[in-house]
Amino acid sequence: MKKYHLLFVILVVSCIGTKAQETHFGVKGGPNYASIVGDLTEGIKFRFSGHLGVFAEIGMSDRFAFQPELAYSSYGFLYSTDLFFIENGNPTIDGNDFRTAVRLNYLTLPLMSKFYLNDRFSVELGPQFGWLINQVTKTRNLDGFGASTSYTQRVSGDFILDYGVAAGVEFRFNDQLSMAPRCYLGLRNRLNGNAMESQNYNIALQVSLNYTFLGN
């Protein structure tokens, strides 16, 4: 049933759009700075990645708009070999011989409410849904010369659902170009079903450069 979540939400967005005063479409993209928070995250660091997508800005009044978005967004985190010992309750100091980058690639659907403060600034808040496309893990040997890199990829196959809350602001340079920093905090436990009943969640900071296509 998870595969039908996206279709359902898109249909809801279409119904809402029929009551809109004015609708503009656009494209967006920029960097992500992502990691995970919660249990078993000691020593885990943020990693840079990116996002790219499209959006519709649906004006509901002079001060309020609804903005659904659809984007490819890469999250994930970095860690050293200490993670093995941290998970087993025995952290070490000099076990940093390997550096691992975990890339979590999502198809995301933020459903943002936008409140205009004036002609230039607006505040954004809303839920975000994400479906995991794949997980890519790269490990690099940092110990001495002849460092090697190993690469593994796991395709989820069933679009594992992630969901949370996104909030940010938008600054308009003009009618078509704007910049929008935003924070996302996941509310779906990534370790659901873990025997230790541990919990951790995605977190991401992103800055988008938005371009809006204006109609005639």
Side-chain angles (χ1 to χ4, degrees):
M1 295 298 292
K2 292 180 180 179
K3 294 182 179 180
Y4 296 97
H5 290 170
L6 179 59
L7 179 60
F8 171 77
V9 176
I10 291 176
L11 290 175
V12 172
V13 170
S14 299
C15 294
I16 295 175
T18 59
K19 300 181 180 180
Q21 293 182 348
E22 188 175 10
T23 300
H24 296 294
F25 298 92
V27 295
K28 62 181 301 177
N32 290 349
Y33 191 50
S35 187
I36 56 175
V37 295
D39 300 325
L40 309 179
T41 58
E42 182 179 350
I44 288 181
K45 301 178 181 180
F46 281 75
R47 66 174 290 267
F48 279 104
S49 51
H51 66 280
L52 181 66
V54 296
F55 65 89
E57 185 176 349
I58 305 169
M60 309 302 289
S61 70
D62 292 338
R63 292 294 181 182
F64 175 73
F66 176 63
Q67 182 167 302
E69 305 173 4
L70 184 64
Y72 166 86
S73 193
S74 183
Y75 298 153
F77 51 93
L78 302 173
Y79 66 87
S80 299
T81 51
D82 298 47
L83 183 67
F84 173 81
F85 299 98
I86 292 171
E87 289 181 337
N88 289 275
N90 183 26
T92 63
I93 298 176
D94 41 344
N96 293 320
D97 296 329
F98 294 88
R99 174 65 56 83
T100 299
V102 178
R103 186 166 74 235
L104 304 172
N105 299 317
Y106 284 91
L107 181 66
T108 61
L109 183 69
L111 301 175
M112 306 301 293
S113 297
K114 179 180 290 187
F115 304 92
Y116 299 103
L117 302 180
N118 52 45
D119 293 338
R120 294 290 185 183
F121 288 96
S122 60
V123 177
E124 302 174 340
L125 177 66
Q128 175 175 307
F129 302 90
W131 289 265
L132 183 65
I133 301 173
N134 59 22
Q135 175 177 314
V136 179
T137 302
K138 289 185 177 181
T139 302
R140 182 181 180 186
N141 183 0
L142 302 178
D143 189 15
F145 297 100
S148 61
T149 300
S150 63
Y151 172 89
T152 60
Q153 177 169 328
R154 180 177 64 84
V155 180
S156 64
D158 57 357
F159 279 71
I160 298 173
L161 177 66
D162 181 60
Y163 54 81
V165 178
V169 297
E170 181 185 44
F171 173 76
R172 287 188 175 274
F173 299 104
N174 52 48
D175 289 340
Q176 291 185 285
L177 192 63
S178 65
M179 182 176 67
R182 183 183 296 175
C183 177
Y184 169 72
L185 176 61
L187 300 177
R188 171 71 182 268
N189 181 16
R190 294 183 61 259
L191 302 178
N192 190 30
N194 184 284
M196 299 175 61
E197 297 184 354
S198 300
Q199 301 181 21
N200 64 46
Y201 308 90
N202 286 315
I203 185 172
L205 305 174
Q206 70 177 47
V207 178
S208 299
L209 189 63
N210 302 341
Y211 183 84
T212 302
F213 298 100
L214 301 179
N216 295 329

